[in-house]
Structures are given as C-alpha cells and as structure tokens.
Amino acid sequence: MAQRDGSHGYPPDYLGADIRAGRCGAVINVVDASAVNELQRIARQESRLGIPLLVGRDVIHGFRTILPIPLGQAATWNPGLVRAGARMAAEEAAAAGVNWTFAPMLDITRDPRWGRIAESLGEDPYLASRLGEAMIRGFQGKELAEPDALAACAKHIAGYGAVEGGRDYAATSIPEIDLRNVYLPPFQAAVRCGVATMMPSFSELNGVPATANRFLLTQVLREEWGFDGVVVSDWDSVCQLCVHGTAGDKAHAALLAVTAGTDMEMTGDAYNEHLGELVALGTLDPCTVDEAVARILRLKFRLGLFDARRSPAKGLPARPSRAAIETARLAAEQSVVLLKNNGPVLPLSIEQLDTVAVIGPLADAPWEQLGTWVFDGDPGETVTPLCAIESLAGGHLKVRHVPAMVHSRGRAGPGFDEAVETARNSDVVLLFLGEEAILSGEAHCRADIGLPGDQLELVRQLHSAGKPVVAVIMAGRPLALTQVLDHVDAVLFAWHPGTMGGQAIAELLFGLRCPSGKLPVTFPRMVGQVPIYYSQKNTGKPPSPAEVVHIDDIDPQAAQTSLGMVSFHLDAGYRPLFPFGFGLSYTQFHYGDIFVRPLEVSPGERITIGAEVTNAGAVAGEEVVQLYVRDVVGSVTRPVRELKGFLRVQLEPGEKRRVEFALDTDALAFHGADLRWAAEPGEFRAWIGGDSDAELGVNFRLSGTPAMAGVTS
Ligand code: NOJ
C-alpha cells in the first residue's frame, strides 16, 4: 500500500530492501529500463509474496515526444487526436518500464491564475469529459494487459480547480449542487470508460481534505459510481493531513485516509509505519486494509503484471518514431488558436516577402515551448519556430532573429533597440511572446495574468516601427491580452505546443495549414473579471450593451446617479476578451438552416439538432461545430448555455455539410435542489455555431408537466 520515490540515485540500491520486505508495492519516478527491470526482478523473485510493482510516472502530455500541454490539446477539440497522443505517450513510457501514469487531470477550472490550468482540459465539464475519456482510452489501450498499456489516473477528485484566489493547494468551498453539476462529471465519465485509478486533490473540499474525504472517495466514487479501481494519494498528502489540521499525528492521518478510501500512499510513510499497529490496536478494521490491498492486487492482475506478456522493458529507441513526431505536429497545429487577423495579414506569402524579423524571447527556446510537467522530453529534439521558419524560408526569404529579451520576465534593454531597428528593415515582424514553462503548472500561480516582464513595452515599441506585427503567444494559461491586441495585426495563441510546436506554427504562419483550434477556456479582458466563463447564470439583472457604462464615460457634470443597475464591471464591462469556443480561420464558415426533430421530445426519446455549415472562403479549412443548449425555466437557475456536442469537420472552399447531433433526453438532465438527477419538462433553446456566442438558435420542448419549484399544493 506504499509507493516509494525512486528519483534519488540508483533505486534498486535503496528501495531493494523495502521491496524484499513487502514495504513497497509501487514506485514513482523510475524511468531507466534497466533499473525498473531490476526492481521488478527483486519484487518477483526476492520478496515473500513475489508480487510485481506498479511503476508510476507523470506522463502528462507526452513522454519523450512532447505534445501540447493538456489545455492546448483541449483547444484541438479533437478526441481522436487526443487519444492518439496518449497512445503514443503510453508506447514511449512503457518502453522505459512505466506501467502507470498520473493523468488525465480532469479538474474543471475557471481561474487562469491557477498554474495548473495548463494541465487541465479547460472550463467545461462536457468538453473535459469527452477529452478525458479519449486520453484514458489512449493510455490504457485496447486492454490494460497489453505490454504497452498504462493504467491511467483521473485526478484530482474533486474541486481542486476552484482553489481560493487561484492559489495552488488553497481551500475550496463548493456547494454540493455545483460539485455534482460542474466538477464531478468528468470523473464520473472517467469511471464509466474504465479508468484504472483515481487521485484525490491536495486541497480540502468544504473543510475536509480530499485525501481523507469519505464522501468523495467512498460514497460518491465507490458506492454511487461503482468504481473498483485504486485510489492513490497525492505526494505525501496523507502526512499533510496533520498540516491541514485534521489529524493529530501520522497514525491518525493514516487512519483517516485509509478509512476514507485512499488505498495507496504516494511517498510518505504513514501507512508503512502505522497501519499494522492500528489494526493490532483494534482501531482499524482489518477488512478495510484487505479491501484496499485487494484493489491494488486487482490492478496488478489487470495490468498483466503476473503474465509473461509484460516482459522486461527494452528501453527507448535512439530516435522518436515518425508516427510520434507526426502526432505531436498535428496536435500542435490543431491546438493553435487564431485570435486576431486584421487585413488579413495572415497567411504570409514567402513569394511576396523579402525579409522577416523573428523577434522575442520564445522564438528559439527549445525547453520553454515544451511547457510544464516535462521530465523525459529531450529539448534537443524540439523544433523551435525560428528553426522551422528558417527551413521553410529556404533561400527565398531573409530571416533576421533578435531575441530582444533573455527570457519572458526580462526588462527593456539594448535588445529592444536592435529589435526595433530590425523590424524597420523587414517586411513583417513575427513576435514570439508569452510565458516560460516554469510560470505555469503545479504551485506556479500568478496574480497578474498579463505578459510577464517588459514584453508589452516590446510590443509597443515594435508597433511604432510601422511594419505589420504578428504575435505568436506561447503560454500555460489564458493571458489578459487587451493591450497587446491594440498594437498587433494578428495573434496566434499557441499554448506551450511541445516538441513539434515550431513546425506547426511556421506552417500556419505561411499558409501551408489553416488554423482550426478553438478556445477551451474563456479569455478575460483583465484579471479582475475572473471567474468569467460562458456557462454562467443569467442573474436577475443580466447586462446588455445598452445598460453598460464604462468608467471613462461617466459624465463628470451629471449628478451622481445609479449606473446600469445590471451585472457588470464599470471598468471591464461584462464581455470577455474572447469567448469559450472561439477561434478564427483563414476561411469563413457560415451557419444556416438549423432544425430540431422532434419539436417536442418525450423523456427517454432521442432528439436530433442540426444545421448546415458552409465554407464560404477561398481555402480549405476545418471547423469545430458546437452545440449549446439552455434549459429556459428550471426548478433551480440553469446556465445561460451549456455545451452538449461538438464535431470537427473539414470543408473544401464552397462545400456545405449538414451536421447533426443526436441527444438523449438524459443530456438535458442536471442535479436539482434535492440533488436528484433529472431532466425537467419544459422549454429548451439550442444554438449551433463556431463558438459559445453562436446566434443561430431553435427551440424545442421536453414533454411533461413542468415542475413548479417551491410551490406546494
Ligand atoms: C503532485 C501532483 O499534484 C500530482 O498531480 C502528481 O501526479 C504527483 N505530484 C506525482 O508527481
């Protein structure tokens, strides 16, 4: 029931004795195939019961070939591609002897200050559920017992993305109705698609740390959802129960965690030191320990660790496979979101240009573009934008590179003058800005989500050079880009795009490919708008453009009076900078002919909602068609719209496609005030379009008598 850290020196030397003595059933952070093989040999041949080890590693967005960060993968809105990426990562990791990954992270978050938003699949439970399932299927393969399958781990149950102030590890307070409607659905979807393991969050939920939260780990997870896999604690989080202040000592912490449903302790020594003694004292029911052990053993059998199929790890080949490289390139391409394209300045034409200026701290930063949680990726294999642009340019285009800053947090200096001078002498400026990898991820939260350092000043100075400026932003979170937008002609938001990010970006810039990424998270105008997300509630005083006043437009002569009297900020209005689902293309997609069948649906029936999508531009492109639904009158307030379906379609210029979504009436259900899950009869409105502001809508009804909440007869 103990997982030990193998990241110090040669693990067999210091873990061997514990494995022989049965004090270590799993390891984390051993990725050297020969060390893994030796540990497995010790476990199989020299431990009393001969039980092989679980070998865990954070394979979060690739192992050796690095995919875009999970938030970037979410921007592809492409479950098939996300699954292929996880499969590729599993194959690479399994070659090193790993059989368990701590992914996917399914925490819904609406707070870009939180560094772990980079690891998330965005703000929406439906999108995160579909992409989370895809990752799990990719990691776990056709069958867990296959030699290249990894056990996946859905983490961190639950509510971690709602930490106060976006500060990692802080407390979360979430009413159960929101927990069940927003935060838990991706975890339930994970259980339904067979995820092997789960990890509770570091944070507390409504006063009870998740590691010792019986409601989450036993009532919901096992009793309601029937999960029979393993719950592994987070790193040392059992012992941290003492720090939280819900356990008096480590024995108490072990008792709380194991009885709540945490089967295995990741690092830490509370279980090894105290479970035996707690049973001997009669404080802990031995059946609780037996059940946890049975779940761990079941996982080892499911993984085929007792069969010959899991033969010793062979180690990684000298180079990543072509297929891995192509999967990483395609994932990067589809993750990039075109936010602005005035002119249009993009795509660039090599034939019509003579000189391009490639400027900025992230133009040639092989490590930084890989993003957070990269332990096994080799920056030597990274293709940076500079390198890809130079190779595309061949002899036809002069490429002048000026980093201008040493890193993204740098200050203005002589590099700025050189950059401006280079911009003046070039036809176009390609400006690579953003955050370095270390500025997002676990414990890397920011209170200000603007561009770090003096990057905004660099943008301003380059704008004054008078040449078209294309900003390419690589970051681990949505950034507040309002001021940047005023000074550039185009923006490509590339997240941290991974090993092949530079290639994908260069191909998009020069029109070899067409941008098709869509935002998996709302972009605020300024950090004070957070949390701002598309599926908010309507309120009793919803805003509209006519009622919103800007602080700069308040008439100083007018007597002080009330302003607006609707829900908005005087200095930011009520609209985000870019809505959830948004993303431009080099072509235009038109939507029309929306329909719903039947207009009135009975509980248990299927409803089909569709529309015609046309590529009205001159180039081929891919569009992510999105379906949103609103329950117009509910027994409790319902979000103004919720994503209920999406589909990526490829359309040639002029091509039309009828896209249909089939929904069960269960897709209209939610947890009400009594927490029961039900679809309520009455009026619904559906919209189909290219983002969450879609205007093309249609109404339908769910038959039955609408509930009159709060009315008693
Ligand atoms: C802490 C993180 O919260 C978790 O997500 C990760 O899997 C473990 N450490 C192991 O590295």
Side-chain angles (χ1 to χ4, degrees):
M1 293 173 73
Q3 183 186 52
R4 303 288 308 278
D5 176 21
S7 60
H8 312 287
Y10 183 61
D13 289 346
Y14 63 96
L15 294 181
D18 275 347
I19 293 170
R20 288 184 190 94
R23 286 197 302 269
C24 171
V27 294
I28 179 171
N29 296 337
V30 187
V31 284
D32 172 74
S34 61
V36 172
N37 292 339
E38 175 58 5
L39 291 173
Q40 292 288 29
R41 190 200 63 73
I42 296 172
R44 288 192 171 105
Q45 295 175 10
E46 296 180 16
S47 72
R48 184 171 64 89
L49 298 170
I51 300 172
L53 300 166
L54 295 168
V55 180
R57 182 65 156 174
D58 288 290
V59 183
I60 307 296
H61 52 112
F63 182 73
R64 172 230 200 112
T65 309
I66 303 301
L67 297 154
I69 54 170
L71 192 59
Q73 290 185 55
T76 69
W77 294 57
N78 187 340
L81 183 56
V82 167
R83 180 175 177 165
R87 184 86 293 274
M88 172 274 273
E91 286 164 7
E92 289 187 352
V98 173
N99 54 37
W100 188 9
T101 176
F102 305 109
M105 189 182 103
L106 299 177
D107 295 304
I108 297 300
T109 185
R110 282 129 185 216
D111 196 332
R113 295 171 298 179
W114 190 46
R116 300 199 82 166
I117 194 170
E119 298 171 56
S120 83
L121 297 170
E123 73 180 40
D124 183 68
Y126 182 83
L127 181 63
S129 297
R130 300 295 79 81
L131 298 179
E133 290 162 354
M135 271 193 191
I136 291 163
R137 294 198 172 106
F139 285 132
Q140 297 194 168
K142 284 195 208 76
E143 208 196 321
L144 265 184
E146 291 291 326
D148 59 7
L150 305 186
C153 180
K155 70 188 188 184
H156 310 84
I157 190 164
Y160 191 23
V163 283
E164 284 176 357
R167 280 190 318 282
D168 212 0
Y169 317 130
T172 70
S173 305
I174 306 175
E176 192 171 336
I177 187 169
D178 294 340
L179 189 71
R180 289 186 181 272
N181 284 326
V182 177
Y183 294 92
L184 288 178
F187 291 97
Q188 188 169 17
V191 171
R192 286 189 175 137
C193 90
V195 73
T197 72
M198 286 261 176
M199 186 189 292
S201 92
F202 272 131
S203 55
E204 64 165 78
L205 174 68
N206 302 330
V208 182
T211 308
N213 198 311
R214 199 182 147 74
F215 161 73
L216 284 175
L217 305 183
T218 297
Q219 182 185 319
V220 174
L221 192 52
R222 301 201 189 283
E223 294 169 5
E224 293 181 23
W225 298 349
F227 178 66
D228 69 355
V230 169
V231 173
V232 60
S233 82
D234 205 336
W235 190 281
D236 199 34
S237 71
V238 175
C239 295
Q240 287 166 18
L241 294 173
C242 302
V243 189
H244 276 284
T246 53
D249 56 27
K250 276 202 257 179
H252 188 191
L255 180 67
L256 289 176
V258 76
T259 52
T262 298
D263 301 317
M264 178 177 280
E265 183 181 14
M266 179 184 283
T267 68
D269 46 15
Y271 279 17
N272 263 349
E273 286 178 9
H274 298 288
L275 290 185
E277 143 204 319
L278 288 164
V279 169
L281 288 169
T283 319
L284 174 62
D285 182 349
C287 294
T288 305
V289 177
D290 288 348
E291 282 166 18
V293 168
R295 289 192 282 260
I296 295 166
L297 280 175
R298 193 187 298 131
L299 172 61
K300 293 184 177 187
F301 279 108
R302 283 179 176 160
L303 272 169
L305 297 181
F306 292 94
D307 323 333
R309 271 197 283 179
R310 288 259 175 190
S311 52
K314 294 192 182 60
L316 287 165
R319 311 264 327 137
S321 71
R322 276 171 179 271
I325 294 286
E326 174 52 17
T327 303
R329 190 206 59 76
L330 187 60
E333 175 194 315
Q334 295 194 359
S335 73
V336 174
V337 185
L338 178 63
L339 294 177
K340 174 175 178 175
N341 192 12
N342 274 13
V345 61
L346 292 177
L348 304 171
S349 155
I350 292 189
E351 290 73 39
Q352 289 167 16
L353 298 170
D354 178 58
T355 308
V356 291
V358 173
I359 294 177
L362 289 161
D364 193 32
W367 175 255
E368 308 308 340
Q369 76 179 54
L370 299 182
T372 184
W373 282 116
V374 172
F375 297 130
D376 306 295
D378 176 0
E381 281 161 4
T382 297
V383 179
T384 67
L386 176 67
C387 164
I389 290 167
E390 279 174 339
S391 103
L392 264 187
H396 310 290
L397 187 62
K398 291 190 222 51
V399 178
R400 298 207 175 111
H401 174 223
V402 182
M405 302 162 83
V406 179
H407 47 63
S408 73
R409 293 157 288 129
R411 295 293 164 200
F416 279 38
D417 302 336
E418 190 191 345
V420 173
E421 186 56 25
T422 305
R424 281 206 187 98
N425 295 315
S426 303
D427 300 317
V428 64
V429 177
L430 302 178
L431 181 53
F432 292 87
L433 304 171
E435 293 177 321
E436 301 147 75
I438 194 72
L439 297 184
S440 60
E442 185 180 345
H444 295 103
C445 305
R446 297 181 60 208
D448 174 358
I449 55 166
L451 283 171
D454 282 343
Q455 292 183 83
L456 186 56
E457 178 55 24
L458 180 62
V459 173
R460 288 198 181 105
Q461 293 193 17
L462 287 170
H463 174 68
S464 69
K467 296 296 168 72
V469 179
V470 176
V472 179
I473 298 180
M474 301 190 206
R477 56 165 59 75
L479 297 176
L481 297 173
T482 310
Q483 292 163 288
V484 177
L485 289 183
D486 294 342
H487 296 95
V488 299
D489 299 279
V491 178
L492 279 174
F493 202 88
W495 318 97
H496 285 134
T499 304
M500 293 302 292
Q503 180 82 28
I505 290 167
E507 291 176 353
L508 289 167
L509 287 170
F510 288 95
L512 277 66
R513 318 272 175 180
C514 186
S516 60
K518 298 276 188 172
L519 297 179
V521 61
T522 304
F523 272 42
R525 288 173 190 279
M526 54 176 88
V527 70
Q529 286 184 300
V530 169
I532 182 165
Y533 51 96
Y534 84 95
S535 62
Q536 62 194 337
K537 302 294 185 67
N538 204 35
T539 81
K541 287 172 174 282
S544 69
E547 289 151 310
V548 168
V549 184
H550 191 269
I551 197 163
D552 294 339
D553 300 331
I554 300 171
D555 181 355
Q557 308 306 327
Q560 190 175 346
T561 174
S562 39
L563 299 165
M565 302 303 284
V566 289
S567 180
F568 75 108
H569 288 113
L570 276 172
D571 44 5
Y574 66 97
R575 298 284 311 148
L577 189 59
F578 296 108
F580 175 81
F582 177 83
L584 300 170
S585 165
Y586 293 156
T587 186
Q588 297 83 43
F589 296 100
H590 290 173
Y591 286 82
D593 292 341
I594 192 166
F595 69 90
V596 58
R597 245 189 354 247
L599 281 173
E600 177 146 345
V601 61
S602 303
E605 270 183 5
R606 285 213 133 184
I607 186 157
T608 305
I609 308 169
E612 196 145 78
V613 191
T614 308
N615 180 348
V619 293
E622 292 196 11
E623 168 73 328
V624 178
V625 181
Q626 301 162 40
L627 168 70
Y628 295 88
V629 173
R630 177 172 183 177
D631 184 345
V632 179
V633 178
S635 58
V636 291
T637 57
R638 304 291 301 129
V640 291
R641 47 180 77 184
E642 289 178 296
L643 183 71
K644 295 292 178 186
F646 60 91
L647 189 69
R648 200 172 237 281
V649 292
Q650 219 237 314
L651 294 174
E652 294 301 319
E655 188 181 349
K656 274 188 177 124
R657 179 91 50 87
R658 193 173 150 108
V659 175
E660 295 188 359
F661 297 96
L663 300 184
D664 291 332
T665 51
D666 198 48
L668 308 173
F670 61 93
H671 293 275
D674 57 3
L675 300 178
R676 273 188 330 111
W677 171 256
E680 294 181 351
E683 191 81 12
F684 289 80
R685 184 157 183 81
W687 296 264
I688 292 184
D691 61 45
S692 58
D693 281 347
E695 286 175 358
L696 184 69
V698 64
N699 281 24
F700 63 94
R701 289 189 64 79
L702 176 62
S703 63
T705 312
M708 300 285 270
V711 176
T712 48
S713 50

